[in-house]
């Protein structure tokens, strides 16, 4: 059997002997033992690698290209893109190496296995934290806009993002000191944290670091949808068609909520199966393909946000098109203006990048002529 070395990484080499003097046997690479399965895995993760690396770089470029605008929660979106980029550009290629070369490749490189596993888990934890902070940010902006500026100054947002990385590493650090570990997982066929080493740490990851962000996002999204629904009812009760601007604002609000909901659903789909399996299979009894593809599904999350932004956010496509030279400047400016709600002092803080508008507080005013006018405070 494999033994734990002093540095916390499981002994990977087949050249050393076990206690009985017998050579340790290293399983063959998945590419050699299950060729068809390996090719399916490599094909999927290669696409995810390309989309995740290119897509998250594009998210960063769009964010910095539009840095002159006041974008709500941009810092958290950038932080999420950085974390996803670490997984897509570094961890995913090493997953392919693990499938093709197997654990023998890491037998004389325990430091590399340690580094990959630690970086990947830290980046995933930071992505969870960033999504949680982004959800809270959206909730405050949409539902408690009057206190948003006090809570989310630029410096404050940057400090929160840095704390996400620090907290993520502190949550991963126990793997270096015996509460967990890093090793080449023959079920997932990659260097990863040791989910079989400590039941308490595994439950900490599944419930605390995946389940808690999921619960927080669920609560935030429910409250956001409730606010949008109440605002929609208020708008229809006041006026159904006199002021087209109100209808446009509501359409934009629903589009924003739809994007947030898709981000939430993708997180649930990608990470919930993984969290459930690692919690119930500490003894490592489930078949290898189950762990292989559920870990792959979790990795796919780092490649999804770019697709969500690109498909669901017109302004993101407009700025991206400008960066890639797909549109001339005049057409882009015209398209941006045509898709925007008419400006007012209260709408200048609209977040073009994320497609988010704060919810309206509707008040009905009787004018001197007997007609109605309405205040929509953004």
């Amino acid at each position: 059997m494999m033994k734990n070395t002093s540095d916390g990484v499981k002994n990977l080499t087949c050249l050393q002997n076990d206690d009985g003097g017998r050579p340790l046997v290293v399983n063959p690479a998945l590419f050699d033992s299950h060729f068809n399965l390996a090719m399916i895995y490599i094909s999927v993760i290669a696409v995810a690698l390309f989309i995740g690396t290119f897509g998250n770089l594009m998210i960063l470029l769009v964010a910095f290209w539009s840095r002159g605008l006041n974008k709500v929660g941009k810092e958290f979106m950038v932080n999420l893109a950085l974390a996803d980029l670490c997984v897509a550009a570094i961890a995913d290629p090493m997953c392919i190496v693990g499938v093709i070369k197997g654990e023998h490749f890491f037998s004389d490189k325990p430091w590399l296995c340690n580094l990959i596993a630690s970086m990947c888990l830290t980046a995933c934890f930071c992505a969870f934290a960033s999504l949680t902070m982004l959800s809270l940010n959206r909730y405050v902006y949409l539902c408690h806009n009057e206190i948003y500026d006090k809570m989310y100054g630029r410096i404050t947002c940057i400090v929160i993002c840095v704390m996400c990385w620090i907290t993520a590493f502190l949550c991963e650090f126990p793997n270096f000191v015996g509460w967990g570990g890093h090793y080449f997982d023959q079920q997932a066929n990659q260097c990863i944290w040791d989910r079989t080493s400590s039941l308490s740490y595994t439950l900490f990851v599944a419930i605390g670091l995946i389940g808690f962000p999921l619960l927080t996002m669920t609560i935030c999204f429910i409250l956001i949808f409730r606010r949008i629904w109440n605002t929609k009812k208020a708008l229809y009760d006041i006026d159904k068609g006199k002021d087209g601007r109100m209808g446009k604002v509501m359409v934009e609000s629903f589009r924003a909520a739809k994007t947030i909901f898709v981000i939430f659903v993708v997180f649930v789909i990608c990470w919930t199966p993984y969290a459930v399996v690692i919690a119930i299979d500490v003894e490592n009894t489930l078949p290898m393909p189950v762990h292989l593809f559920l870990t792959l599904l979790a990795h796919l999350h780092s490649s999804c946000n770019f697709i969500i932004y690109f498909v669901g956010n017109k302004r993101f496509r407009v700025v991206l098109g400008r960066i890639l030279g797909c549109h001339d400047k005049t057409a882009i400016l015209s398209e941006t203006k045509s898709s925007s709600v008419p400006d007012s002092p209260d709408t200048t803080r609209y977040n073009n990048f994320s497609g988010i508008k704060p919810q309206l507080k509707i008040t009905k005013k009787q004018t001197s002529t007997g007609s109605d006018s309405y205040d929509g405070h953004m």
Side-chain angles (χ1 to χ4, degrees):
M1 297 177 64
M2 290 189 177
K3 300 182 297 183
N4 286 336
T5 59
S6 58
D7 62 1
V9 182
K10 287 191 175 180
N11 195 334
L12 303 175
T13 180
C14 61
L15 301 178
Q16 296 181 356
N17 296 332
D18 62 12
D19 293 337
R22 297 179 299 273
L24 294 173
V25 178
V26 176
N27 289 340
L30 185 69
F31 189 79
D32 297 325
S33 61
H34 299 80
F35 178 77
N36 292 336
L37 190 65
M39 288 306 300
I40 295 173
Y41 180 92
I42 292 172
S43 300
V44 174
I45 203 166
V47 173
L49 187 162
F50 173 77
I51 295 177
T53 302
F54 172 80
N56 286 297
L57 284 174
M58 291 302 100
I59 291 174
L60 295 176
L61 284 176
V62 168
F64 288 111
W65 181 279
S66 305
R67 61 186 180 275
L69 298 177
N70 182 14
K71 297 176 179 62
V72 176
K74 183 182 75 172
E75 293 82 4
F76 303 118
M77 302 179 83
V78 168
N79 211 41
L80 176 60
L82 287 173
D84 286 343
L85 185 62
C86 289
V87 176
I90 301 176
D92 284 357
M94 298 310 298
C95 290
I96 296 177
V97 172
V99 167
I100 295 177
K101 296 292 187 178
E103 63 178 320
H104 179 68
F105 177 80
F106 299 97
S107 63
D108 59 344
K109 307 176 187 69
W111 62 269
L112 179 60
C113 201
N114 243 333
L115 179 63
I116 295 169
S118 178
M119 182 280 303
C120 183
L121 193 59
T122 299
C124 289
F125 289 166
C126 184
F128 302 160
S130 299
L131 276 171
T132 304
M133 293 300 105
L134 183 60
S135 301
L136 291 170
N137 177 272
R138 292 294 190 265
Y139 165 69
V140 174
Y141 184 66
L142 288 167
C143 301
H144 300 283
N145 189 251
E146 67 279 1
I147 63 173
Y148 181 83
D149 288 333
K150 297 178 181 178
M151 292 184 61
Y152 289 102
R154 180 173 176 78
I155 300 300
T156 301
C157 291
I158 292 175
V159 170
I160 293 175
C161 290
V162 172
M163 290 304 300
C164 285
W165 282 100
I166 294 175
T167 303
F169 178 73
L170 291 177
C171 290
E172 205 283 329
F173 184 74
N175 289 299
F176 287 98
V177 294
W179 193 33
H182 305 116
Y183 76 132
F184 187 92
D185 187 347
Q186 295 181 1
Q187 297 285 70
N189 287 272
Q190 62 182 270
C191 288
I192 198 171
W193 66 289
D194 190 352
R195 57 188 168 75
T196 64
S197 177
S198 171
L199 175 60
S200 58
Y201 184 75
T202 299
L203 293 178
F204 170 67
V205 172
I207 298 174
L209 300 181
I210 299 178
F212 179 74
L214 179 59
L215 177 62
T216 303
M217 285 188 284
T218 301
I219 294 173
C220 288
F221 296 155
I222 290 175
L223 294 175
I224 288 172
F225 273 113
R226 187 180 70 173
R227 182 59 182 268
I228 291 177
W229 176 256
N230 290 337
T231 303
K232 180 182 178 182
K233 287 179 61 178
L235 283 171
Y236 275 89
D237 287 344
I238 292 174
D239 185 32
K240 293 185 177 180
K242 277 192 174 181
D243 189 355
R245 177 176 174 273
M246 288 298 185
K248 292 180 181 179
V249 171
M250 179 51 58
V251 169
E252 292 291 341
S253 296
F254 268 98
R255 286 176 179 171
K258 183 178 180 180
T259 301
I260 296 174
F261 181 72
V262 172
I263 292 174
F264 167 71
V265 170
V266 169
F267 180 84
V268 172
I269 293 174
C270 290
W271 281 104
T272 302
Y274 178 79
V276 172
V277 167
I278 64 173
I280 66 175
D281 192 38
V282 178
E283 298 298 326
N284 212 22
T285 57
L286 289 176
M288 177 270 293
V290 174
H291 287 283
L292 179 70
F293 283 101
L294 287 186
T295 305
L296 171 62
L297 183 63
H299 273 243
L300 292 181
H301 182 260
S302 63
S303 304
C304 291
N305 286 326
F306 168 74
I307 299 174
I308 296 171
Y309 296 150
F310 185 81
V311 173
N313 193 303
K314 185 176 182 180
R315 290 174 180 81
F316 180 85
R317 296 195 300 272
V318 167
V319 178
L320 183 61
R322 180 189 300 178
I323 293 174
L324 300 178
C326 298
H327 301 281
D328 62 82
K329 185 174 181 181
T330 304
I332 290 172
L333 291 176
S334 175
E335 185 178 6
T336 303
K337 288 180 180 179
S338 65
S339 62
S340 300
V341 176
D343 291 336
S344 72
D346 290 326
T347 61
T348 55
R349 297 175 63 245
Y350 173 52
N351 175 13
N352 286 310
F353 177 50
S354 63
I356 296 293
K357 285 181 183 294
Q359 283 300 307
L360 298 175
K361 294 180 180 179
I362 308 297
T363 60
K364 182 174 179 179
K365 292 183 179 180
Q366 295 292 335
T367 62
S368 56
T369 60
S371 62
D372 295 334
S373 63
Y374 317 101
D375 280 340
H377 298 293
M378 305 297 287

